[in-house]
């Protein structure tokens, strides 16, 4: 049976004449024919500048790989052509009707233009299009119209052998000169019966999620303002609980009460973002807040004091833990012999501060002053974390995540075996997407395709997407990729926030930062340089959507339980 696109129910067709033709084709035409009933068209050409676009409809469009297209116009009842005018005979007399041949030819040119527009001129020129008229309730006598060969006229006698009649009409129109290639056949079919879907790009849900989570974060910060009266505090919170934003708020509050304030952290990229957020309060801009990560703070003060600050390349970790703090303390004593330079201190990422770093900070702030420390022991990427040595500190725990969607929180909790609670009003979000390459060499192409889809199909901006992984760009699968879809891949987070490209970073460098969409690239399991803490950091960076490109199937299996937990969230809602 012929393939009807879309499928039809003959008994529901409006006109009996068309139903009779359709019934005959259902019965007699083989499956090599594609039949489209009542196919509309619009031609942007206008009869007048103010007139509407021309539009029409083909009663039937019959499509075959060997013979091409046949436009079949159907007229029911008794029809007469007198001169050049067509009439239908009614009980009350005769009524003028539209010229069926002209109707069919208007459809021909409209479809030819569409094929040329969507498939190209070469395909359009090679696609044979014929026209025919069917009178299923009548026979005919007399001379046929000058613009319609007798072979292209179908009558009630042809209903029992409709395939032969259709092939006759094809031949009358010049069909079967060249069989279409399969690609051309498929292209023309898609042109005339396209797949059209209205979809919601990820950008819509990403923007909505970002606004909701920002509102929840503001609510959490308002609640924490109640602890402002405490001059010393240790705030321990899960990823996404707003620690860094609260630390910035605390530093601004200290700046209104104290002569000088130090804000320090571990991550250099996080420090850059904090400096952007606190630009008006910075000392170099006329404010009274100094913001530097510990490494930069130590290096700058030692330079001011004229001390040699050359890192030992053979054992840099030990040098930073033991030598750098002593040098910082020495520099502080030489630069500030009479009193410590800071009256208040805010420490973010305190879980990454070694005991000797805290000892060195004692030389920089007045022990009678104020100090707040913020930490997440699960994000300790250097060693087993210690409790910040702050005597008399008020302790507060933040276990509610208001950065990530509920599904991302569930995934991160199971993957890292860490308990955190998603904000009950947080969006559900999409399940994390996992991509498994056929082989490691395919990782680069898969990541590039995903980024192109996010940028083009989902309308995201470059500054909303971050690619993070165990290794730097130069050592990862994107080492030789400079741009994707014309958008640069960059490694500087400040330029990324300015919209200059898609960021490529490591979990460690991106710690403390966040993006609307994160692609965890080349996850090969835990161990070596990518620990469970790195995984926890990586999975909690995306606000709205997480994509994981695994190294292989074995790596993906490490996350199966976490992905199942994410899918289970919201099932009963």
């Amino acid at each position: 049976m012929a393939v009807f696109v879309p499928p039809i129910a003959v008994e529901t067709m409006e006109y009996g004449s068309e139903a009779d033709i359709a019934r005959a084709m259902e019965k007699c035409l083989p499956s090599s024919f594609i039949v489209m009933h009542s196919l509309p068209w619009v031609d942007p050409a206008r009869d007048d500048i103010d007139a509407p676009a021309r539009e029409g409809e083909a009663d039937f469009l019959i499509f075959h790989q060997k013979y091409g297209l046949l436009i079949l116009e159907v007229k029911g009842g008794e029809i007469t052509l007198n001169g050049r005018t067509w009439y239908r005979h009614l009980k009350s007399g005769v009524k003028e009707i539209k010229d069926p041949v002209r109707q069919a030819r208007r459809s021909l040119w409209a479809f030819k233009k569409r094929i040329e527009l969507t498939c190209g001129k070469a395909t359009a020129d090679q696609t044979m299009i014929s026209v025919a008229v069917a009178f299923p309730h009548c026979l005919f006598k007399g001379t046929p119209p000058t613009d319609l060969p007798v072979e292209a006229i179908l009558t009630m006698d042809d209903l029992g052998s409709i395939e032969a009649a259709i092939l006759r009409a094809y031949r009358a129109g010049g069909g079967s000169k060249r069989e279409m290639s399969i690609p051309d056949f498929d292209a023309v079919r898609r042109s005339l019966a396209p797949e059209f879907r209205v979809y919601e790009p990820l950008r819509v849900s990403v923007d909505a999620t970002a606004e909701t989570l920002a509102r929840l974060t503001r609510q959490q910060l308002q609640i924490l303002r109640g602890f402002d009266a405490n001059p010393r505090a240790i705030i321990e919170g899960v990823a996404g609980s707003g620690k860094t934003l609260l630390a910035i708020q605390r530093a601004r509050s200290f700046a209104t009460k104290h002569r000088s304030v130090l804000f320090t952290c571990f991550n250099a990229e996080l420090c850059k973002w904090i400096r952007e957020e606190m630009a008006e309060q910075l000392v170099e801009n006329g404010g009274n807040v100094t913001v530097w990560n510990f490494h930069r703070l130590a290096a700058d003060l030692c330079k001011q004091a004229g001390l040699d600050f050359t890192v030992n390349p053979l054992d840099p970790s030990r040098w930073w833990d033991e030598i750098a703090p002593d040098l910082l303390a020495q520099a502080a004593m030489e630069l500030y012999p009479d009193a410590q330079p800071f009256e208040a201190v805010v420490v973010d990422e305190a879980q990454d501060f070694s005991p000797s770093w805290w000892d060195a900070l004692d030389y920089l702030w007045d022990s009678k002053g104020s100090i707040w420390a913020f930490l997440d022991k699960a994000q300790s990427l250097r060693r087993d974390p210690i409790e910040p040595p702050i005597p008399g500190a008020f302790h507060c725990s933040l276990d509610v995540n208001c950065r990530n969607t509920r599904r991302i929180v569930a995934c991160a909790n199971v993957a890292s075996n860490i308990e955190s609670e998603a904000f009950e009003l947080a969006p559900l979000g999409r399940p994390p997407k996992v991509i498994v390459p056929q082989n490691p060499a395919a990782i680069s192409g898969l990541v590039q395709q995903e980024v192109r889809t996010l940028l083009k199909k989902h309308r995201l901006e470059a500054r909303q997407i971050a690619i993070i992984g165990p290794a730097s760009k130069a050592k990862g699968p994107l080492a030789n990729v400079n741009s994707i879809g014309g958008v640069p891949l960059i490694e500087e987070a400040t330029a990324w926030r300015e919209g200059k490209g898609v960021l490529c970073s490591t979990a460690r460098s991106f710690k403390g930062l966040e993006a609307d969409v994160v692609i965890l690239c080349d996850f090969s399991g835990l161990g070596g340089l990518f620990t469970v803490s790195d995984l926890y950091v990586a999975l909690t960076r995306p606000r709205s959507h997480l994509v994981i490109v695994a190294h292989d199937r074995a790596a993906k299996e490490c996350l199966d339980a976490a992905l199942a937990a994410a899918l289970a969230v919201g099932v009963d809602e």
Side-chain angles (χ1 to χ4, degrees):
M1 185 179 72
V3 177
F4 282 82
V5 180
I8 63 170
V10 174
E11 63 275 8
T12 65
M13 295 178 70
E14 182 177 0
Y15 300 108
S17 55
E18 295 178 13
D20 290 340
I21 293 290
R23 192 175 292 110
M25 289 193 289
E26 274 190 321
K27 183 178 179 180
C28 300
L29 277 188
S31 59
S32 55
F33 287 88
I34 295 175
V35 179
M36 303 176 196
H37 172 250
S38 192
L39 183 62
W41 54 264
V42 174
D43 186 345
R46 288 166 164 78
D47 297 319
D48 184 78
I49 192 170
D50 296 322
R54 298 171 183 169
E55 56 184 302
E57 179 182 279
D59 290 337
F60 288 97
L61 183 64
I62 304 167
F63 190 27
H64 193 280
Q65 183 178 351
K66 180 177 180 180
Y67 305 112
L69 297 173
L70 176 66
I71 299 167
L72 184 61
E73 188 69 25
V74 180
K75 295 298 180 184
E78 186 175 347
I79 306 295
T80 297
L81 172 62
N82 190 350
R84 295 178 61 184
T85 305
W86 291 79
Y87 299 94
R88 175 176 283 118
H89 291 257
L90 305 173
K91 291 181 180 180
S92 57
V94 293
K95 178 183 178 181
E96 185 177 340
I97 62 172
K98 293 180 179 179
D99 182 338
V101 183
R102 188 177 182 188
Q103 284 182 282
R105 294 201 179 279
R106 284 167 63 91
S107 295
L108 182 154
W109 291 111
F111 292 139
K112 192 173 185 67
K113 285 183 180 180
R114 177 168 179 83
I115 294 170
E116 181 176 339
L117 178 65
T118 56
C119 304
K121 191 174 188 305
T123 299
D125 289 343
Q126 294 171 8
T127 301
M128 292 302 302
I129 307 180
S130 308
V131 298
V133 178
F135 305 102
H137 299 156
C138 301
L139 300 174
F140 80 90
K141 63 180 181 178
T143 304
T146 57
D147 55 353
L148 187 67
V150 65
E151 295 86 358
I153 300 174
L154 282 65
T155 67
M156 59 183 294
D157 284 345
D158 294 309
L159 295 183
S161 54
I162 194 76
E163 180 181 3
I166 288 174
L167 293 180
R168 185 184 72 217
Y170 269 124
R171 287 192 291 270
S176 75
K177 289 183 177 179
R178 186 188 70 88
E179 183 171 337
M180 300 178 68
S181 66
I182 292 177
D184 281 350
F185 179 76
D186 288 339
V188 173
R189 177 184 56 81
R190 288 194 301 269
S191 174
L192 299 173
E195 295 179 2
F196 178 76
R197 178 172 64 96
V198 178
Y199 69 96
E200 179 182 288
L202 186 59
R203 174 65 180 268
V204 175
S205 59
V206 162
D207 289 349
T209 295
E211 175 55 34
T212 300
L213 293 174
R215 184 171 65 252
L216 298 180
T217 301
R218 290 192 296 269
Q219 292 175 3
Q220 178 141 307
L221 294 180
Q222 285 299 111
I223 295 173
L224 293 174
R225 282 184 181 274
F227 304 128
D228 280 2
N230 297 281
R232 300 185 179 196
I234 297 174
I235 310 296
E236 185 171 355
V238 298
S241 56
K243 297 183 299 298
T244 298
L245 292 177
L246 181 59
I248 292 173
Q249 181 191 83
R250 181 76 284 196
R252 286 172 173 156
S253 178
F254 280 161
T256 64
K257 304 172 184 177
H258 298 284
R259 175 177 51 85
S260 57
V261 178
L262 171 66
F263 190 125
T264 186
C265 60
F266 176 82
N267 190 347
E269 290 296 340
L270 176 62
C271 178
K272 292 178 183 178
W273 177 73
I274 293 169
R275 287 178 59 82
E276 292 172 15
E277 292 294 304
M278 300 194 65
E280 294 182 0
Q281 290 85 30
L282 295 180
V283 170
E284 52 265 43
N285 294 331
N288 60 341
V289 180
T290 297
V291 179
W292 288 119
N293 65 311
F294 184 85
H295 304 73
R296 177 66 182 270
L297 176 69
D300 278 7
L301 290 182
C302 286
K303 182 178 180 180
Q304 292 179 35
L307 300 178
D308 179 29
F309 198 77
T310 304
V311 180
N312 181 1
L314 299 178
D315 193 358
S317 296
R318 181 175 176 273
W319 190 91
W320 276 107
D321 277 347
E322 299 178 10
I323 307 302
D326 289 342
L327 290 173
L328 174 58
Q330 182 180 344
M333 287 187 292
E334 293 186 14
L335 294 172
Y336 312 106
D338 299 325
Q340 291 88 342
F342 301 106
E343 295 181 354
V345 175
V346 174
V347 179
D348 197 11
E349 301 181 299
Q351 75 275 356
D352 291 319
F353 278 53
S354 65
S356 54
W357 288 17
W358 288 103
D359 293 339
L361 288 179
D362 286 340
Y363 290 87
L364 295 176
W365 75 286
D366 187 345
S367 59
K368 298 179 182 180
S370 301
I371 183 170
W372 276 42
F374 299 82
L375 70 153
D376 178 3
K377 292 179 181 177
Q379 294 190 57
S380 179
L381 302 179
R382 301 182 68 236
R383 63 177 59 77
D384 291 336
I386 65 167
E387 186 77 4
I390 303 176
F394 164 79
H395 285 71
C396 178
S397 295
L398 308 176
D399 57 2
V400 176
N401 180 318
C402 52
R403 171 197 293 146
N404 311 119
T405 64
R406 285 182 285 154
R407 280 181 166 152
I408 291 177
V409 173
C411 178
N413 285 354
V414 174
S416 56
N417 197 28
I418 291 172
E419 285 299 323
S420 67
E421 181 181 349
F423 210 114
E424 62 180 7
L425 297 179
L428 177 63
R430 300 187 180 200
K433 178 180 180 179
V434 180
I435 302 172
V436 182
Q438 292 184 346
N439 54 69
I443 293 175
S444 175
L446 291 173
V447 173
Q448 292 181 63
Q449 180 58 45
E450 193 65 26
V451 172
R452 278 192 291 267
T453 299
L454 292 170
L455 292 169
K456 186 174 181 179
K457 178 180 177 181
H458 291 291
R459 301 295 195 271
L460 292 176
E461 298 178 19
R463 61 182 178 83
Q464 295 179 284
I465 306 168
I467 304 170
I468 62 177
S472 65
K473 180 178 180 296
K475 297 180 180 179
L478 298 175
N480 297 320
V481 181
N482 295 321
S483 65
I484 299 175
V487 177
L489 295 185
I490 58 179
E491 298 180 77
E492 219 290 308
T494 299
W496 168 65
R497 286 190 290 273
E498 295 172 351
K500 296 180 179 178
V502 172
L503 181 68
C504 284
S505 186
T506 64
R508 299 194 172 199
S509 294
F510 204 64
K511 184 166 68 74
L513 303 177
E514 59 190 43
D516 287 319
V517 178
V518 165
I519 300 175
L520 174 54
C521 176
D522 195 18
F523 172 71
S524 57
L526 301 176
L529 297 177
F530 201 75
T531 67
V532 67
S533 294
D534 291 294
L535 179 61
Y536 173 67
V537 169
L539 297 183
T540 54
R541 297 308 98 191
R543 284 187 288 264
S544 184
H545 189 46
L546 170 65
V547 179
I548 301 172
V549 180
H551 184 79
D552 50 33
R553 190 163 297 278
K556 183 261 182 186
E557 290 173 356
C558 297
L559 298 173
D560 281 348
L563 298 170
L567 283 171
V569 177
V571 170
D572 298 329
E573 296 182 6

